[in-house]
């Protein structure tokens, strides 16, 4: 569902590199009604694989940011009227790119018109199409929060909400797909390809869509990176033998994927610092509890940072993850994640007893349904 977590995903997800073309200067000039201190605006983006948060004060509605980036970058602009930090529901997503970018709104950042640069021009057009979908997602999110407060809704009620959310997400992806197909030379299309590809493991579909892009986009730094990514995905498609790997568990013992041969095993890529992963964990626990006696297990692979062991262990305990957990503590350079072409988490791969991949990105009820089909 659309919320600030999605907007901040670029801060936490392991994402592919973007198009490098040397250092370029950007300037953001903003006007937000008549706001003044203590209101502040926060700019979030990634630079050299690190999270960046810049802050600007507002005076009589005006604020300004300027800096240097090596490539066009996805960014989030957040308004906090109290000036107390980035945790605010008022934000908008846009692109840092060379030149002057203007942000204009009579009140909130989320209502702002953004101009300046090819990416932002195309993105504003896309936003007009996405607005009804995102509004429906926000309405659904509010409904979920109210239902949880009541604590008396039947399970079927939540199942129906999940179906609605799934339908909206599919509509959003169809919108991305339409834009890509009708704008094959737009730099925005290569960014949207990442979101469209996200949880779509139909390699034939993605390969065909990628090859439909203009030669200029395909030969860009980002395009070449996606070409390499598709090569990896072909090796981890449904029906292929799962690439073997070995990694240390929580006790330091080296565990290999082939140790689980003869069972259905879900390779679950996650991390303690990833909110969507933590939200998915109870559903994985439910699947594990229901089918562990029928030949199913889970192999967790955590993309933890070198200093993240305590957080990793705490998350395992808090979420009740009783299956084998592995990590090489290399964050987004996790060896197994690179081997499987994991570009964002959570992601998972379901491996059959013969070592072949039988499913990918099976979340929530989809995992239960697949296990029910395989383990009758």
């Amino acid at each position: 569902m659309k919320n600030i977590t999605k907007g901040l995903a670029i801060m936490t997800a392991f994402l592919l590199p973007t198009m490098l073309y040397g250092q370029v200067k950007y300037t953001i000039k903003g006007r937000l009604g008549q706001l003044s201190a203590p209101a502040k605006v926060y700019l979030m983006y990634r630079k050299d694989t690190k999270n960046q948060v810049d802050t600007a004060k507002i005076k009589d509605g005006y604020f300004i940011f300027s800096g240097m980036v090596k490539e066009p970058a996805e960014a989030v602009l957040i308004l906090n009227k109290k000036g107390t930090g980035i945790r605010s529901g008022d934000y908008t997503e846009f692109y840092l790119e060379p030149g002057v970018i203007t942000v204009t709104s009579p009140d909130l950042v989320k209502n702002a018109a953004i101009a300046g640069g090819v990416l932002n021009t195309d993105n504003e057009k896309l936003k007009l199409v996405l607005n009804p979908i995102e509004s429906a997602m926000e309405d659904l999110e509010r409904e979920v929060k109210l239902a949880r407060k009541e604590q008396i809704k039947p399970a079927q009620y939540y199942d129906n909400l999940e179906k609605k959310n799934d339908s909206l997400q599919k509509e959003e992806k169809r919108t991305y797909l339409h834009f890509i197909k009708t704008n094959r030379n737009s730099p925005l299309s290569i960014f949207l390809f990442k979101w469209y590809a996200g949880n779509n493991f139909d390699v034939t579909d993605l390969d065909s869509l990628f090859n439909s892009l203009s030669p200029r986009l395909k030969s860009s730094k980002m395009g070449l990176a996606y070409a390499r990514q598709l090569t990896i995905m072909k090796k981890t498609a449904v029906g292929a033998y799962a690439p073997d790997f070995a990694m240390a568990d929580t006790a330091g013992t080296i565990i290999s994927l082939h140790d689980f041969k003869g069972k259905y095993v879900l390779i679950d890529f996650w991390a303690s610092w990833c909110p969507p992963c933590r939200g998915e964990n109870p559903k994985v626990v439910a699947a594990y509890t229901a089918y562990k006696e029928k030949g199913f297990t889970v192999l967790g692979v955590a993309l933890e940072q070198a200093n993240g062991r305590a957080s990793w262990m705490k998350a395992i305990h808090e979420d009740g993850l009783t299956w084998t957990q592995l990590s090489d503590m290399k964050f987004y350079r996790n060896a197994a994640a690179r081997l499987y072409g994991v570009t964002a988490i959570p992601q998972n791969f379901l491996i059959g007893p013969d070592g072949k991949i039988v499913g990918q990105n099976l979340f929530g009820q989809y995992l239960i349904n697949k296990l029910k089909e395989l383990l009758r």
Side-chain angles (χ1 to χ4, degrees), residues 73-115:
E74 296 163 295
V76 182
L77 201 63
I78 304 165
L79 168 65
N80 187 318
K81 291 184 177 179
K82 296 181 179 180
T84 53
I86 64 173
R87 294 299 172 185
S88 168
D90 183 22
Y91 73 98
T92 190
E93 299 164 348
F94 70 109
Y95 292 89
L96 288 182
E97 51 185 322
V100 177
I101 301 165
T102 61
V103 179
T104 310
S105 171
D107 42 39
L108 302 176
V109 164
K110 67 181 180 181
N111 297 330
I114 298 176

Side-chain angles (χ1 to χ4, degrees), residues 96-145:
L96 288 182
E97 51 185 322
V100 177
I101 301 165
T102 61
V103 179
T104 310
S105 171
D107 42 39
L108 302 176
V109 164
K110 67 181 180 181
N111 297 330
I114 298 176
V118 176
L119 279 164
N120 285 307
T121 297
D122 283 351
N123 194 44
E124 287 298 289
K125 294 175 184 176
L126 180 63
K127 280 183 179 180
L128 292 175
V129 183
L130 287 173
N131 278 341
I133 302 171
E134 294 182 346
S135 293
M137 286 180 170
E138 290 171 355
D139 290 343
L140 192 58
E141 184 179 6
R142 282 191 287 270
E143 186 177 351
V144 169
K145 287 180 179 178

Side-chain angles (χ1 to χ4, degrees), residues 49 81 102 104 116 131 143 146 163 189 198 212 216 260 262 296 320 340-341 346 355 375-376:
T49 74
K81 291 184 177 179
T102 61
T104 310
N131 278 341
E143 186 177 351
L146 288 173
K163 288 177 181 176
S189 289
S212 74
R216 183 173 70 90
F260 297 86
F296 169 69
Y340 277 74
L375 299 169
R376 295 177 180 176

Side-chain angles (χ1 to χ4, degrees), residues 140-193:
L140 192 58
E141 184 179 6
R142 282 191 287 270
E143 186 177 351
V144 169
K145 287 180 179 178
L146 288 173
R148 285 174 179 164
K149 285 183 179 179
E150 292 179 15
Q151 298 182 339
I152 57 173
K153 299 292 186 182
Q156 184 61 41
Y157 176 84
Y158 291 102
D159 287 343
N160 289 336
L161 290 182
E162 189 168 334
K163 288 177 181 176
K164 288 181 183 178
N165 185 55
D166 184 58
S167 177
L168 288 170
Q169 288 182 340
K170 286 180 179 177
E171 188 176 352
E172 183 179 55
K173 295 196 82 167
R174 284 194 295 269
T175 303
Y176 290 158
L177 178 61
H178 178 74
F179 183 94
I180 295 169
K181 286 185 172 180
T182 54
N183 296 273
R184 300 183 182 190
N185 196 43
S186 168
L188 181 60
S189 289
I190 200 74
F191 280 91
L192 294 181
F193 185 86

Side-chain angles (χ1 to χ4, degrees), residues 270-273 278 304-305 307-318 329:
W270 74 294
S272 62
W273 47 262
R278 302 295 297 275
E304 300 294 337
Q305 300 186 61
N307 62 352
R309 181 174 176 78
S311 298
W312 179 35
M313 299 300 292
K314 181 181 179 183
I316 291 172
H317 175 72
E318 288 180 347
M329 313 304 290

